[in-house]
Amino acid sequence: MVSWLWLLQVSFLRIEQVACYDYAYSFTAKELKAYKQEVKELFYFGFDSYLEHGYPFDEVRPISCVPKKRNFEDLNDHVTNDILGNFTITLIDSLTTIAVLQDMPRFREAVRLVERTFPNGEFDVDSTVQVFETSIRVLGSLLSSHLYATDRTKAVYLGHEYDGSLLRLAQNMADRLLPAYLTYTGLPVPRINVKWKFNFPGFTDSLVTENNVAAMSCPMFEFTILSYLTGDSKYEKVTRYAFDKIWSLRTDLDLLPMSFHPEKLTPYTSMTGIGASIDSFFEYALKGAVLFDDAELMNVWNVAYESLKTNCRNDWLFANVLADTGQIFVPWIDSLSAFFPGLQVLAGDLDDAIAKHLLFLKIWNTFGGIPERWNFSPTEISPPLSPTEPLSVTLKAILPLEWYPLRPEFFESTYFLYRATKDPFYLNVGVHLLRDLKQRFKSKCGFAGFQNVITGELQDRMETFVLSETLKYLYLLFDEGNELHKSGSDVVFSTEAHPMWLPQEVRSKYKRDAKFSDSTYSSHLKTCYKRDRELQAKESTLSQRIVGFARSVFSQQPEEELANLTRNNKTNFEAPGLCPIMPRPRSDHDTWYSPLLSKYSRLFEIDSRYNATLIKPSHMQHYRAIELEPAFYSRWSNPQFSTCQIEPTTEIFELLFDLPGVHEQNPSIADNGTITYGAFGSRSRLKIEKLQIYQSDYYGDLVTASTFQDISRRDTYSHMCDTTADLYSSVFLYRVVAVNGRIVPRHGTVQIEKHNFMHVSTDIEEQGTLIIGGIGVNDQAQLMLECTPILNLLLI
Ligand SMILES: *[C@@H]1O[C@H](CO)[C@@H](O)[C@H](O)[C@H]1NC(C)=O
Ligand SMILES: *[C@@H]1O[C@H](CO)[C@@H](O)[C@H](O)[C@H]1NC(C)=O
Ligand SMILES: *[C@@H]1O[C@H](CO)[C@@H](O)[C@H](O)[C@H]1NC(C)=O
Ligand SMILES: *[C@@H]1O[C@H](CO)[C@@H](O)[C@H](O)[C@H]1NC(C)=O
Ligand SMILES: *[C@@H]1O[C@H](CO)[C@@H](O)[C@H](O)[C@H]1NC(C)=O
């Protein structure tokens, strides 16, 4: 079977493992029911406010209770007009939340309203909108609602009452968007006029130049589902061509610059990461692989994710790097990247998902939401932070984009982590998000997010994702028995949280009967493929990669702060513990504690590691960290568990290698913590810790004198370090703590097959250019960096 099944099984297995002691010691069924009821009420409050004060326009303004309309005066107001096409988008995007609530009467009513709003089954509106946003919000919701309405197993199955109107509307919209793909390259332009295509007064090139990776690749997902449901394969073929084309534009490091000119293919920026502009590319590679059972998409995901791990992944976040070099480019992460832990759950990478989600929790604890952009590195802020500045100035430097429009991504990954772990920790996060929605964001006619998290000022806007995603994921978090959670429901959520599934008969019918009869698109694709073949023929063979290594910027402590260790006699080790002091928990739940609260020794590491840029605005001063809420803490933490890992005081830096060949994606990991790499070519990134006596290391252990015994500094390879000098005079040693974003276990070793690595180096030498300077190997097979051994990096 294809490998995605395996992935699903991994996440599934975890669920099964805890299922046996599930309900009794978790939140009670009664509690869950009450919470889900509250979310349902909040949803209908928002939805009904829209119907009363917003419909038939696109949104309702939650504070002033009037419609938020498309900006008909200023067509270049892209922030508004890319999404608000004057086609009742809140109504359409909310349909599937009603379906998830399993509320038959309201679903029927809402579908009727859509039918009445578009009596001819046409989106005949003179609006220029974004192809991507319209695909995910309009097309996605209509397709998912159609699946619900026609699936006998679902509570909102409409049976004979429903004649396929939603699918027809979806197809009508798709036909209006698809001409965006008729470009020289086959990549879509970002915007199109729903009625006039490109042929309308006021059309300018600026509407269709820069387009980002997510926007150009992602319609593939919704359009392919449309193909399955209509039997017309043109939607799939045209959008899939663009997806594959985008992927072909990746750099040698398998990283994709975030945006391109769709006709010239020139990148607008060399930056890449997992956030805005590229986020759903990764999402749809994996989800497409799962939903369409597609091995090629699975391969795209595997290669792309491996490259993200190698180049972007750090302990608590994925950094934004340059696609050509993998060097960190900007010291911030964005709000949208909070979805990624949820995707990692689907990929089976649960441990890392837990870690990455935690950072967003700490951000929520600090700012009361997830600011659009958060700067994690105080040293990169200019002018530098100064304690004499007023708080608001400091915060403005930390939060270059300071709004939070109630985006769903943090809710989403909280939900997926709960499904995979069943740890009540995530339910508790949900309870607090629910409380915040009620107390901080609920306004007169809907939910108003933060215009400014620094001042706490609210925004008189409720984007459609609040009802379609934020509240949906929150409801599902509490709704244990939802039909989507039944085994065999095989559901995949679209990037707008619309549940998608493809019944077996639909799949086989599509495989058997699909047709591509539209000659405009078929000849267009033919031309594109032909041009690609000509280009390929011209391309020379692979260019030789640069070989060398570079220290990267991700060090924790500046060099000059190093202590004078030769003389340091300190025997009394008193590193600061990071555990907050909390009242002793009660012990009436002896069998089931929250694993995250009771076993995860790094739960509070982020608080100190990022304390310089996790600074609370004044309106948050009294907000208590979600995980430390006394009622929760005393109920779910294990009284026997009393320690948190000690903060590392060692210096940590990174080495980047670019070697010819490939590197192994899944090195073998032995029970004794040894990671063995066969192939170790192409880009690799090693995180190296500089061990000095009496420091606290990466794993929270004390570095003792024994670490420094029996160390050989004799270089058996390049003979650069011939010294057998006094071993005990050494002040520091190195240790590798992560390889390509994979954390080496405590006491773990990394083995690289010598043949591979050394062979490469020798080749280079023979060409007369020894580029790897400062690298050697000692007689204990340890790799040496500038004559200092890396204790646990062995060439075997
Ligand atoms: C926008 O939609 C409203 C409500 O359907 C309609 O009355 C109005 O004419 C539309 N405006 C434009 C410019 O299309
Ligand atoms: C280390 O300490 C000794 C004794 O205090 C001093 O002589 C030496 O200069 C110091 N070395 C450095 C690099 O600071
Ligand atoms: C270091 O410890 C030894 C043994 O306890 C002691 O004799 C010596 O004076 C100490 N040196 C310093 C610099 O404190
Ligand atoms: C962050 O923590 C360090 C070490 O505990 C402390 O010295 C520093 O003052 C803290 N910074 C802020 C902004 O709280
Ligand atoms: C750990 O296991 C690996 C693979 O089985 C082996 O090569 C290595 O020697 C072992 N290391 C130790 C320290 O036992």
Side-chain angles (χ1 to χ4, degrees):
M1 271 313 281
V2 287
S3 46
W4 64 263
L5 260 185
W6 176 80
L7 293 174
L8 286 183
Q9 267 161 8
V10 171
S11 345
F12 200 66
L13 267 181
R14 304 252 186 181
I15 298 170
E16 301 269 292
Q17 276 163 11
V18 292
C20 47
Y21 44 103
D22 194 336
Y23 293 110
Y25 301 101
S26 186
F27 279 50
T28 63
K30 200 169 148 210
E31 284 171 308
L32 290 177
K33 197 169 162 210
Y35 289 130
K36 110 182 169 179
Q37 185 58 28
E38 281 188 52
V39 182
K40 185 173 178 173
E41 281 161 19
L42 288 186
F43 169 79
Y44 279 129
F45 161 72
F47 185 65
D48 289 338
S49 295
Y50 163 72
L51 289 181
E52 188 175 341
H53 304 285
Y55 179 87
F57 295 95
D58 286 307
E59 292 175 0
V60 63
R61 288 193 184 275
I63 298 172
S64 53
C65 298
V66 296
K68 158 90 179 155
K69 301 181 190 175
R70 181 174 175 81
N71 187 342
F72 298 105
E73 281 74 48
D74 179 7
L75 294 179
N76 288 318
D77 175 3
H78 294 316
V79 175
T80 304
N81 289 351
D82 275 353
I83 297 160
L84 305 189
N86 201 32
F87 37 47
T88 67
I89 194 165
T90 298
L91 169 66
I92 295 175
D93 210 10
S94 302
L95 286 177
T96 60
T97 308
I98 305 176
V100 164
L101 297 175
Q102 303 183 191
D103 185 344
M104 176 65 159
R106 294 290 318 247
F107 184 68
R108 180 193 287 128
E109 207 179 290
V111 171
R112 290 280 144 72
L113 184 56
V114 172
E115 290 169 347
R116 280 205 306 280
T117 307
F118 303 95
N120 307 323
E122 299 248 2
F123 283 101
D124 194 24
V125 286
D126 175 8
S127 299
T128 302
V129 293
Q130 238 215 15
V131 176
F132 169 72
E133 291 292 350
T134 312
S135 300
I136 64 172
R137 301 195 199 202
V138 177
L139 205 55
S141 186
L142 291 171
L143 291 168
S144 170
S145 304
H146 172 78
L147 288 169
Y148 264 111
T150 54
D151 186 331
R152 283 171 194 286
T153 68
K154 297 290 185 281
V156 298
Y157 171 62
L158 292 178
H160 296 304
E161 301 174 36
Y162 172 73
D163 70 347
S165 58
L166 301 176
L167 180 60
R168 285 198 303 278
L169 268 174
Q171 186 165 16
N172 182 265
M173 180 56 93
D175 287 335
R176 293 165 183 275
L177 299 178
L178 204 58
Y181 286 79
L182 293 172
T183 61
Y184 181 76
T185 56
L187 292 183
V189 294
R191 301 182 181 83
I192 192 165
N193 187 290
V194 175
K195 188 177 174 106
W196 305 113
K197 297 174 193 166
F198 305 106
N199 189 12
F200 60 95
F203 173 82
T204 59
D205 274 355
S206 72
L207 286 172
V208 295
T209 46
E210 178 179 359
N211 205 356
N212 67 56
V213 160
M216 289 190 281
S217 56
C218 289
M220 175 278 289
F221 187 78
E222 282 81 7
F223 278 70
T224 302
I225 296 169
L226 179 65
S227 278
Y228 272 89
L229 295 175
T230 57
D232 185 342
S233 59
K234 82 172 168 220
Y235 307 109
E236 176 191 2
K237 299 286 188 232
V238 170
T239 56
R240 178 60 180 271
Y241 175 83
F243 186 97
D244 295 341
K245 180 88 182 178
I246 289 282
W247 179 232
S248 77
L249 299 175
R250 64 194 184 277
T251 64
D252 283 354
L253 296 177
D254 296 322
L255 293 171
L256 268 170
M258 280 177 169
S259 68
F260 291 91
H261 189 297
E263 302 249 24
K264 299 179 190 147
L265 299 189
T266 42
Y268 274 89
T269 167
S270 179
M271 183 173 114
T272 193
I274 57 166
S277 295
I278 193 163
D279 47 358
S280 8
F281 170 81
F282 302 110
E283 183 176 4
Y284 277 177
L286 180 58
K287 290 183 173 175
V290 172
L291 188 64
F292 310 129
D293 194 1
D294 187 315
E296 283 171 27
L297 287 177
M298 197 69 210
N299 186 50
V300 173
W301 162 256
N302 283 333
V303 173
Y305 187 41
E306 186 62 27
S307 176
L308 286 178
K309 287 191 277 192
T310 301
N311 295 291
C312 304
R313 179 155 96 178
N314 283 285
D315 288 15
W316 300 107
L317 52 85
F318 283 79
N320 287 304
V321 304
L322 289 170
D324 300 318
T325 63
Q327 297 278 7
I328 290 194
F329 182 52
V330 291
W332 47 256
I333 56 170
D334 67 22
S335 177
L336 289 167
S337 59
F339 88 103
F340 204 73
L343 191 62
Q344 290 181 296
V345 170
L346 183 64
D349 200 349
L350 196 52
D351 291 343
D352 201 53
I354 289 169
K356 300 300 185 281
H357 173 270
L358 206 49
L359 179 65
F360 292 100
L361 173 66
K362 304 292 179 173
I363 291 176
W364 189 286
N365 283 342
T366 310
F367 303 112
I370 313 289
E372 196 73 358
R373 232 172 236 182
W374 168 69
N375 194 323
F376 56 80
S377 170
T379 56
E380 304 274 332
I381 294 174
S382 69
L385 294 183
S386 136
T388 56
E389 292 289 359
L391 183 60
S392 60
V393 175
T394 304
L395 282 168
K396 182 62 199 153
I398 292 169
L399 306 173
L401 304 178
E402 70 282 356
W403 53 88
Y404 173 60
L406 298 177
R407 286 193 189 282
E409 286 75 15
F410 179 55
F411 292 70
E412 173 181 349
S413 44
T414 301
Y415 162 69
F416 283 111
L417 275 160
Y418 177 65
R419 296 306 305 164
T421 63
K422 290 291 171 84
D423 188 333
F425 188 88
Y426 298 107
L427 288 177
N428 180 57
V429 173
V431 169
H432 282 257
L433 297 179
L434 172 60
R435 190 197 61 190
D436 286 353
L437 279 174
K438 272 174 17 192
Q439 294 178 359
R440 302 170 76 96
F441 300 115
K442 189 172 172 222
S443 303
K444 201 165 154 219
C445 293
F447 300 92
F450 281 133
Q451 180 65 41
N452 186 338
V453 303
I454 302 171
T455 60
E457 178 201 348
L458 297 179
Q459 188 179 42
D460 195 8
R461 180 161 187 199
M462 177 171 70
E463 290 238 35
T464 67
F465 49 66
V466 179
L467 297 180
S468 94
E469 300 189 68
T470 309
L471 287 165
K472 184 189 284 150
Y473 282 124
L474 194 55
Y475 182 82
L476 282 170
L477 174 70
F478 299 124
D479 191 19
E480 202 62 57
N482 195 278
E483 56 197 9
L484 296 180
H485 297 151
K486 285 189 192 137
S487 70
S489 73
D490 288 336
V491 65
V492 171
F493 289 87
S494 81
T495 192
E496 187 74 3
H498 299 304
M500 301 290 190
W501 62 95
L502 289 171
Q504 195 48 52
E505 62 274 15
V506 172
R507 290 168 191 273
S508 19
K509 186 156 186 292
Y510 184 63
K511 296 251 148 70
R512 200 173 60 233
D513 301 336
K515 289 206 174 54
F516 188 168
S517 45
D518 188 323
S519 61
T520 308
Y521 290 102
S522 58
S523 63
H524 174 69
L525 272 191
K526 248 182 226 147
T527 317
C528 289
Y529 279 120
K530 182 155 167 267
R531 202 174 288 131
D532 287 345
R533 278 194 304 274
E534 287 163 6
L535 266 177
Q536 251 165 21
K538 271 194 235 154
E539 243 166 40
S540 55
T541 49
L542 273 180
S543 58
Q544 183 72 37
R545 285 169 195 269
I546 310 157
V547 178
F549 75 93
R551 287 184 184 222
S552 99
V553 293
F554 225 86
S555 62
Q556 287 187 319
Q557 289 183 3
E559 197 80 50
E560 59 266 25
E561 278 179 20
L562 296 181
N564 185 346
L565 284 156
T566 39
R567 297 279 166 174
N568 192 337
N569 233 1
K570 201 160 129 194
T571 49
N572 217 354
F573 182 63
E574 290 168 28
L578 303 178
C579 275
I581 314 275
M582 284 298 289
R584 211 82 183 115
R586 296 197 323 261
S587 57
D588 52 358
H589 286 279
D590 287 338
T591 39
W592 174 244
Y593 303 108
S594 155
L596 211 58
L597 206 56
S598 298
K599 290 193 197 129
Y600 197 75
S601 63
R602 302 179 72 195
L603 190 57
F604 297 100
E605 187 179 318
I606 293 169
D607 303 60
S608 66
R609 178 118 163 228
Y610 293 106
N611 74 345
T613 58
L614 284 177
I615 299 174
K616 281 187 174 182
S618 348
H619 70 95
M620 288 295 293
Q621 288 308 325
H622 300 293
Y623 192 94
R624 197 192 275 268
I626 290 175
E627 67 279 19
L628 289 177
E629 198 50 67
F632 175 75
Y633 191 88
S634 60
R635 181 169 163 191
W636 298 106
S637 71
N638 181 349
Q640 264 78 56
F641 177 80
S642 60
T643 59
C644 288
Q645 185 170 311
I646 287 162
E647 192 176 4
T649 55
T650 50
E651 182 198 351
I652 291 177
F653 60 91
E654 292 183 341
L655 291 181
L656 299 180
F657 288 87
D658 276 304
L659 301 169
V662 292
H663 87 236
E664 200 167 342
Q665 291 197 2
N666 293 303
S668 65
I669 303 175
D671 288 343
N672 64 14
T674 297
I675 306 179
T676 307
Y677 281 89
F680 198 73
S682 76
R683 165 58 55 94
S684 291
R685 189 171 61 115
L686 303 187
K687 195 176 216 168
I688 307 282
E689 175 177 43
K690 189 167 177 179
L691 294 174
Q692 291 170 286
I693 200 160
Y694 297 135
Q695 290 204 337
S696 120
D697 73 9
Y698 188 70
Y699 305 94
D701 293 335
L702 177 64
V703 181
T704 60
S706 66
T707 314
F708 291 80
Q709 278 156 22
D710 305 324
I711 296 302
S712 162
R713 287 167 188 263
R714 189 201 313 271
D715 188 332
T716 60
Y717 167 58
S718 70
H719 310 291
M720 279 187 299
C721 328
D722 262 338
T723 168
T724 47
D726 181 6
L727 301 180
Y728 299 96
S729 71
S730 63
V731 290
F732 59 85
L733 287 168
Y734 294 130
R735 177 163 69 193
V736 55
V737 292
V739 185
N740 295 333
R742 180 180 275 114
I743 294 177
V744 177
R746 195 189 214 117
H747 310 304
T749 300
V750 176
Q751 297 184 344
I752 298 170
E753 282 179 21
K754 187 174 184 171
H755 162 73
N756 179 300
F757 194 82
M758 300 307 287
H759 175 69
V760 163
S761 305
T762 315
D763 272 359
I764 301 299
E765 261 189 302
E766 279 166 5
Q767 289 166 18
T769 40
L770 178 69
I771 302 174
I772 300 187
I775 293 243
V777 179
N778 67 13
D779 42 23
Q780 288 164 19
Q782 291 161 331
L783 195 75
M784 307 232 286
L785 191 62
E786 289 156 351
C787 303
T788 302
I790 305 175
L791 289 178
N792 59 343
L793 185 56
L794 305 181
L795 296 189
I796 51 160

